[in-house]
Amino acid sequence: MPSLVDPVANKTDEGNNRTDLKAPEPEHCPGTESEEAGKADACQGCPNQDICASAPKGPDPDLPLIKDRMKGVKHKILVLSGKGGVGKSTFSSLLGWGFASDLDREVGLMDIDICGPSLPKMMGSEGEQIHTSLSGWSPIYVSDNLGMMSVGFMLPNQDDAIIWRGAKKNGLIKQFLKDVDWGNLDYLVVDTPPGTSDEHLSVTQYLKESGVDGAVVITTPQEVALLDVRKELDFCRKSGIKIIGLVENMSGFVCPNCKGESFIFAPTTGGGKALAEEFNIPFLGSVPLDPRIGKSCDHGESFVEEYPDSPATTAILDVIRQIREAVGDPQEDEDDDMDE
Amino acid sequence: MPSLVDPVANKTDEGNNRTDLKAPEPEHCPGTESEEAGKADACQGCPNQDICASAPKGPDPDLPLIKDRMKGVKHKILVLSGKGGVGKSTFSSLLGWGFASDLDREVGLMDIDICGPSLPKMMGSEGEQIHTSLSGWSPIYVSDNLGMMSVGFMLPNQDDAIIWRGAKKNGLIKQFLKDVDWGNLDYLVVDTPPGTSDEHLSVTQYLKESGVDGAVVITTPQEVALLDVRKELDFCRKSGIKIIGLVENMSGFVCPNCKGESFIFAPTTGGGKALAEEFNIPFLGSVPLDPRIGKSCDHGESFVEEYPDSPATTAILDVIRQIREAVGDPQEDEDDDMDE
């Protein structure tokens, strides 16, 4: 029976940049990126020998450059979810606006969804172009204290597909960390694509030395979403990323006509709250489905500022408050945070 | 200004399996997989020279094996969408059940969402294990005429993350096409992950010689979804994949209390219908948001059989009818197709 069993087939690819090996590494493999790669005794007869022997050796020379660039960034937060369409980008944009509503905080928003960048649209900055200076690529500033970077700013035509295999995506993510002049930031929020593949491995690897505060994991209530989220939690565990907490998005829907609540994505197995308890991770709250959130995203507006009275706004602000507490930067006055 | 401009940075990766090049290919590059790779005059001084020189040469020897395996498959249909969470897997499962409700048709369902396989859960076959025989890996049969294949059947533990970079995912997709004993099929439905990256390039490339009937593209009505779908349409155009049509999923929501309709994902820019007109592709219909679809998926049941009276069922059956017509296999009696 073909099965993905440990240790070879199912091992984490992390730390191994070789994506073109012809066969699993042999038992006494010296490491595909070590100085001995392709030359050690164990390499004799290995189908990968030529590939390893000709590959660049030693640690990635770009890592110290990334570390240097990230020195001025106090808190790095990944927004993750195994599944697509649960609201990662929406929530990343809400976090960006939320953190930046405190004018004493400098915020960066980095979009590493290379094939499906939605943040420029959601932040109302579509069509902007990146400028460079001696200190690197300048982020696109949505407001004085909120800068962002996305492949969406680099497309000659917004409808062009970005048809890239993993290695090319990894290269651009590295540039976003190494070449962008982020300056001194209180928060860098990283919006990721669905899955547990190249983008996730690379950003984790590139930021390892600088340190990531943790991940905010987004889900919707139905079991097919939780299924993928469990895999993402396993990824975090294996990659040593702390879970700041789980957010359940699109929870209930209140009919604008009759005020009756419907569960569009029914929590057949208990939803996000039960999952958080099962995995013993903080549950940051349920954000009800408010169609105006999607509309705000389509128009590039800040939902929490446009609709301060929505129950969704209350839930979102509560999540932001908990995240700030979790990273050791609690809000000074909770009630005033939108008025500053 | 850093920008992805043709021809080098923005070119399609298709046909180029080298995922580890250190630099863009030089102007007179003989092709990274050609016999001359790493040896031609243009290769002198190119940072990729060593990598290319040591790589395997010539056409992929597995392609004829795939072509042979696919000889018995009449219609190959890709289910695509730039964005995650719009219902690709849900719709793939509906197509599988829909095609197979005609007992004269043999149907296969192939899940190439390697990091987030949801089809086993949706088809009620979670926990099954793949068996092999002399003729290859046996698909998991959901019913007599509906077989499926997914990485979900290969996991020692359902919650394990599949932390694979692109090249490894490509290898498994190739095995799904080359090693699975699909037998003679009328339909092979391929469920894809979000994006335009490794999985999409690989399946297109592997099936090129066998021929793909076309792609069914799924979207939801809001602009941030259409944004990614436009990129997917560009991918299809560049890869030479015919668009069978566009389906708008999760269109309106009818409140079960007051029967009032709400637009959960508001079509701020005209939704799927306007997009189909803009791109001059067939619009196959709008499927209203019925929370029972998600519940059926969570329970591994066929929604159209469980809820024949739902307006969503009517819309789904109409989409299936149009797809069968588009591939030249029209239903004999539209009204009887669920009763056979």
Side-chain angles (χ1 to χ4, degrees):
Chain A
M1 176 205 79
S3 171
L4 308 177
V5 279
D6 286 323
V8 177
N10 197 31
K11 77 186 235 259
T12 303
D13 253 355
E14 194 196 356
N16 180 358
N17 276 320
R18 309 292 312 160
T19 54
D20 58 342
L21 301 184
K22 300 176 202 169
E25 297 86 335
E27 193 179 356
H28 299 290
C29 171
T32 56
E33 294 188 340
S34 74
E35 291 288 338
E36 289 300 299
K39 298 175 192 164
D41 286 349
C43 302
Q44 304 307 319
C46 172
N48 302 321
Q49 186 173 15
D50 280 357
I51 301 175
C52 290
S54 67
K57 297 291 185 299
D60 185 340
D62 288 327
L63 291 185
L65 303 176
I66 292 175
K67 193 177 176 186
D68 196 53
R69 193 67 96 170
M70 289 292 125
K71 261 197 321 220
V73 180
K74 282 192 196 148
H75 303 294
K76 299 164 211 81
I77 296 171
L78 306 181
V79 179
L80 294 176
S81 168
K83 187 157 164 51
V86 298
K88 276 181 304 300
S89 296
T90 300
F91 220 86
S92 298
S93 76
L94 292 168
L95 283 183
W97 266 307
F99 290 143
S101 70
D102 181 343
L103 297 182
D104 293 332
R105 296 292 177 275
E106 295 290 329
V107 184
L109 206 45
M110 188 171 112
D111 183 2
I112 64 166
D113 189 345
I114 308 295
C115 291
S118 5
L119 277 183
K121 161 74 70 183
M122 290 183 177
M123 303 302 289
S125 53
E126 219 180 9
E128 299 273 352
Q129 290 186 331
I130 301 164
H131 296 272
T132 52
S133 72
L134 282 178
S135 45
W137 304 4
S138 299
I140 302 294
Y141 282 92
V142 182
S143 67
D144 282 349
N145 62 338
L146 177 55
M148 58 179 297
M149 185 50 64
S150 168
V151 72
F153 299 129
M154 305 170 75
L155 299 175
N157 180 338
Q158 288 304 318
D159 294 350
D160 283 352
I162 300 156
I163 310 174
W164 286 9
R165 292 186 183 274
K168 245 177 175 167
K169 296 192 282 192
N170 300 337
L172 187 63
I173 292 171
K174 188 184 267 185
Q175 287 191 283
F176 281 180
L177 290 167
K178 180 172 67 77
D179 297 336
V180 173
D181 180 22
W182 289 107
N184 290 321
L185 293 180
D186 293 281
Y187 291 96
L188 179 65
V189 177
V190 182
D191 182 25
T192 67
T196 50
S197 191
D198 282 284
E199 299 88 335
H200 313 80
L201 281 166
S202 296
V203 78
T204 308
Q205 204 168 305
Y206 298 153
L207 286 176
K208 196 155 210 168
E209 286 192 44
S210 317
V212 170
D213 287 67
V216 175
V217 181
I218 316 287
T219 189
T220 45
Q222 79 275 34
E223 172 58 23
V224 292
L226 300 178
L227 191 71
D228 289 350
V229 170
R230 288 193 195 95
K231 292 186 168 57
E232 201 74 35
L233 296 177
D234 184 46
F235 168 79
C236 289
R237 192 177 56 78
K238 286 179 175 155
S239 312
I241 301 171
K242 184 189 150 192
I243 313 272
I244 295 175
L246 182 70
V247 178
E248 184 184 270
N249 198 17
M250 308 188 200
S251 295
F253 170 68
V254 177
C255 174
N257 293 328
C258 70
K259 308 295 172 202
E261 189 173 21
S262 295
F263 292 97
I264 305 282
F265 301 104
T268 51
T269 56
K273 195 159 196 304
L275 185 74
E277 281 165 14
E278 180 191 338
F279 279 78
N280 200 21
I281 55 174
F283 183 64
L284 303 179
S286 299
V287 179
L289 222 176
D290 185 330
R292 295 174 299 181
I293 297 179
K295 272 189 212 164
S296 292
C297 286
D298 274 7
H299 294 131
E301 291 163 352
S302 166
F303 171 77
V304 292
E305 284 187 33
E306 297 283 321
Y307 303 100
D309 299 333
S310 165
T313 295
T314 313
I316 293 161
L317 292 178
D318 191 48
V319 171
I320 293 172
R321 184 187 56 73
Q322 291 177 73
I323 295 173
R324 287 192 54 165
E325 267 172 25
V327 301
D329 179 34
Q331 285 170 210
E332 286 179 15
D333 187 345
E334 293 176 22
D335 298 326
D336 285 358
D337 70 299
M338 294 305 302
D339 307 321
E340 285 173 50
Chain B
M1 178 205 78
S3 172
L4 308 178
V5 278
D6 285 323
V8 177
N10 197 31
K11 77 186 236 261
T12 303
D13 253 355
E14 194 196 355
N16 179 358
N17 277 319
R18 308 292 312 161
T19 54
D20 58 343
L21 300 183
K22 300 175 203 170
E25 297 86 335
E27 193 179 356
H28 298 290
C29 171
T32 56
E33 293 187 338
S34 74
E35 292 288 338
E36 289 301 300
K39 298 175 192 162
D41 286 349
C43 302
Q44 303 308 320
C46 172
N48 302 321
Q49 185 172 15
D50 280 357
I51 301 175
C52 290
S54 67
K57 298 291 186 300
D60 185 341
D62 288 327
L63 290 185
L65 303 176
I66 292 175
K67 193 178 177 186
D68 196 53
R69 192 67 96 171
M70 288 292 124
K71 261 196 321 220
V73 180
K74 281 192 196 148
H75 303 293
K76 299 163 211 82
I77 296 172
L78 306 181
V79 179
L80 294 176
S81 168
K83 187 156 164 50
V86 299
K88 275 181 304 300
S89 296
T90 300
F91 220 86
S92 299
S93 75
L94 292 168
L95 283 183
W97 266 307
F99 290 143
S101 70
D102 181 342
L103 297 182
D104 293 332
R105 296 292 176 274
E106 295 290 330
V107 184
L109 205 45
M110 188 172 113
D111 183 3
I112 65 166
D113 189 346
I114 308 295
C115 292
S118 4
L119 277 183
K121 161 75 69 183
M122 289 182 178
M123 303 302 289
S125 52
E126 219 181 8
E128 299 273 351
Q129 290 186 331
I130 301 164
H131 296 273
T132 53
S133 72
L134 282 178
S135 45
W137 304 4
S138 299
I140 301 295
Y141 282 92
V142 182
S143 67
D144 281 350
N145 61 338
L146 177 54
M148 58 180 296
M149 185 51 64
S150 168
V151 71
F153 298 129
M154 305 170 75
L155 298 175
N157 180 338
Q158 288 303 318
D159 294 349
D160 283 352
I162 300 157
I163 309 174
W164 287 8
R165 291 186 183 273
K168 245 177 175 167
K169 296 192 282 192
N170 300 336
L172 187 63
I173 292 170
K174 187 184 269 185
Q175 287 191 282
F176 281 180
L177 290 168
K178 180 172 68 77
D179 297 336
V180 173
D181 180 22
W182 290 107
N184 290 321
L185 293 180
D186 293 281
Y187 292 96
L188 179 65
V189 177
V190 181
D191 181 26
T192 67
T196 50
S197 190
D198 282 284
E199 299 88 335
H200 313 80
L201 281 166
S202 296
V203 77
T204 308
Q205 204 167 306
Y206 299 153
L207 286 176
K208 196 154 209 168
E209 286 192 44
S210 317
V212 170
D213 287 67
V216 175
V217 181
I218 316 287
T219 189
T220 46
Q222 78 275 33
E223 172 58 24
V224 292
L226 301 178
L227 191 71
D228 290 350
V229 170
R230 288 192 196 96
K231 292 185 168 57
E232 201 74 35
L233 296 177
D234 184 46
F235 168 79
C236 289
R237 193 177 56 78
K238 286 180 175 154
S239 312
I241 300 171
K242 184 189 150 193
I243 313 271
I244 295 175
L246 181 70
V247 178
E248 184 184 270
N249 198 17
M250 309 188 199
S251 295
F253 170 68
V254 177
C255 174
N257 293 328
C258 70
K259 309 294 171 201
E261 190 173 20
S262 295
F263 292 96
I264 304 282
F265 301 104
T268 50
T269 56
K273 195 159 197 303
L275 185 74
E277 281 165 14
E278 180 191 338
F279 279 78
N280 200 21
I281 55 174
F283 183 64
L284 303 180
S286 299
V287 180
L289 222 176
D290 186 330
R292 295 173 301 182
I293 297 179
K295 272 190 211 164
S296 292
C297 286
D298 274 7
H299 294 130
E301 291 162 353
S302 167
F303 171 77
V304 292
E305 284 188 33
E306 297 283 322
Y307 303 101
D309 299 332
S310 165
T313 295
T314 313
I316 292 161
L317 292 179
D318 192 48
V319 171
I320 293 172
R321 184 187 56 73
Q322 292 177 73
I323 295 173
R324 286 191 54 165
E325 267 172 25
V327 301
D329 179 35
Q331 285 170 210
E332 286 179 16
D333 187 343
E334 292 176 22
D335 298 327
D336 284 359
D337 70 297
M338 294 305 301
D339 307 320
E340 286 172 49

